[in-house]
């Protein structure tokens, strides 16, 4: 019998069983299928696709149409994994737009949505969850705020940020988030949140003590050699290997 489909509830239950949660981004059919075949339980069609697939300088230009296009492609892999999708910048400013756009992502094939923020987007989060859509939180460094913040800064270094993270996480849990991504949160605060919250924390650049870890897959595979990140050391030099194979093939054609 095939293993049962992974749901938001299954991801939540992994924490109670003490199981770690490996999560990765997938933006298309082959990547979703490959990651699913390896048994990654949570696939995120992240708005990071704006940077790693579409070539934008940050995630703020990603549209609902971009997200729907990539969610459809990833969902066609019919993975056993839970497919979560990012709500793009400016698409959840009101309760009405949040629910309408979350539904569009579900219709495209997502099984959960993620949006960035805590108490400042709580009415939108409550409205999404009340409409029956599983919600994945995202706290810490919020890439959709990179222009206001002037860069990607680690969060939780001072007491006001620490307290804000605790209050935001508590609010998301109370609203019904099934897990929370912690991006660039100090390892000390990420550990405290992991011990405090009943739902899984999934860290990215937030130290080793979260319940799960998520990475942008092209960063893990070394597909983007034009920048390097502190929190991820590529495990493969895919860009170099692709260049070498293509060069060899090009030369064989030219010869
Ligand atoms: O967009 C994305 O890929 C994300 C991950 C970095 C968590 O939000």
């Amino acid at each position: 019998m095939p293993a049962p489909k992974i749901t938001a509830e299954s991801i939540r239950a992994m924490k109670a069983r003490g199981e770690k949660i490996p999560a990765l981004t997938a933006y298309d059919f082959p990547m979703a299928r490959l990651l699913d075949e390896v048994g990654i339980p949570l696939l995120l069609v992240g708005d990071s696709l704006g940077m790693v697939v579409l070539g934008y300088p940050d995630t703020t230009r990603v549209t609902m149409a971009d997200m729907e296009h990539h969610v459809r492609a990833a969902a066609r892999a019919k993975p056993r994994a839970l497919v979560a999708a990012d709500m793009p910048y400016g698409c959840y400013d009101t309760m009405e737009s949040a629910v309408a756009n979350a539904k569009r992502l579900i219709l495209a094939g997502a099984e959960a949505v993620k949006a960035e923020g805590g108490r400042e987007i709580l009415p939108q989060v409550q409205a999404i969850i009340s409409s029956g859509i599983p919600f994945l939180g995202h706290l810490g460094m919020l890439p959709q705020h990179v222009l206001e913040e002037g860069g990607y800064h680690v969060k939780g270094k001072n007491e006001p940020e620490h307290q804000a993270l605790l209050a935001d996480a508590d609010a998301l849990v109370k609203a019904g988030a099934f897990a929370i991504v912690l991006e660039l949160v100090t390892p000390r605060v990420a550990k405290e949140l992991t011990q405090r919250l009943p739902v899984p924390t999934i860290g990215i650049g937030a130290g080793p003590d979260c319940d799960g870890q998520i990475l942008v897959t092209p960063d893990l595979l070394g597909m983007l050699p034009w920048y390097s990140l502190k929190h991820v050391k590529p495990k493969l030099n895919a860009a170099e290997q692709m260049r070498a194979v293509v060069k060899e093939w090009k030369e064989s054609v030219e010869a």
Side-chain angles (χ1 to χ4, degrees):
M1 214 168 65
K5 173 78 186 145
I6 294 171
T7 63
E9 199 37 55
S10 346
I11 297 290
R12 187 190 164 110
M14 287 172 81
K15 177 164 184 148
R17 290 196 300 272
E19 283 174 41
K20 290 285 186 183
I21 305 165
L24 285 169
T25 61
Y27 314 106
D28 57 24
F29 171 85
M31 192 56 83
R33 186 154 176 180
L34 285 170
L35 301 182
D36 196 52
E37 284 173 3
V38 177
I40 298 296
L42 171 60
L43 301 181
L44 174 69
V45 185
D47 62 352
S48 51
L49 70 85
M51 298 164 81
V52 302
V53 178
L54 302 179
Y56 290 131
D58 57 58
T59 60
T60 61
R61 301 190 204 179
V62 175
T63 63
M64 273 301 297
D66 294 330
M67 289 305 303
E68 288 174 298
H69 179 74
H70 286 274
V71 168
R72 280 191 205 103
R76 275 182 211 116
K78 295 191 176 32
R80 175 176 179 245
L82 179 76
V83 177
D86 261 327
M87 302 207 56
Y89 179 76
C91 294
Y92 50 100
D93 290 347
T94 64
M95 286 160 68
E96 293 71 26
S97 65
V99 173
N101 287 320
K103 283 186 179 163
R104 279 176 63 179
L105 293 173
I106 297 294
L107 286 174
E111 296 154 332
V113 299
K114 171 165 88 57
E116 298 181 5
R119 288 162 295 168
E120 74 279 19
I121 60 160
L122 206 58
Q124 292 94 310
V125 175
Q126 286 164 337
I128 290 169
I129 294 172
S130 298
S131 73
I133 297 173
F135 184 82
L136 175 60
H138 186 150
L139 295 175
M141 197 290 134
L142 306 179
Q144 291 176 8
H145 291 254
V146 66
L147 298 177
E148 295 141 57
E149 299 206 357
Y152 298 93
H153 306 300
V154 175
K155 292 296 163 83
K157 281 180 163 170
N158 55 47
E159 205 38 34
E161 280 181 8
H162 171 206
Q163 290 308 325
L165 281 164
L166 299 187
D168 285 334
D170 287 346
L172 290 179
V173 169
K174 197 159 171 232
F178 70 88
I180 301 179
V181 169
L182 299 178
E183 179 159 0
L184 298 187
V185 170
T186 62
R188 186 181 66 83
V189 174
K191 184 174 182 183
E192 181 182 350
L193 284 166
T194 302
Q195 288 167 346
R196 175 188 180 99
L197 302 178
V199 304
T201 57
I202 303 182
I204 173 162
D209 295 312
C210 295
D211 298 301
Q213 297 289 333
I214 186 162
L215 285 178
V216 169
T217 306
D219 293 338
L220 177 67
L221 301 181
M223 292 167 73
L224 301 153
W226 308 285
Y227 63 83
S228 62
L229 296 166
K230 275 198 196 131
H231 67 267
V232 46
K233 201 169 160 13
K235 299 280 186 211
L236 178 74
N237 196 339
E240 209 39 63
Q241 293 188 26
M242 283 167 72
R243 281 194 193 116
V245 167
V246 172
K247 184 167 181 283
E248 191 186 313
W249 177 80
K250 173 179 170 278
E251 286 166 2
S252 77
V253 172
E254 288 164 350

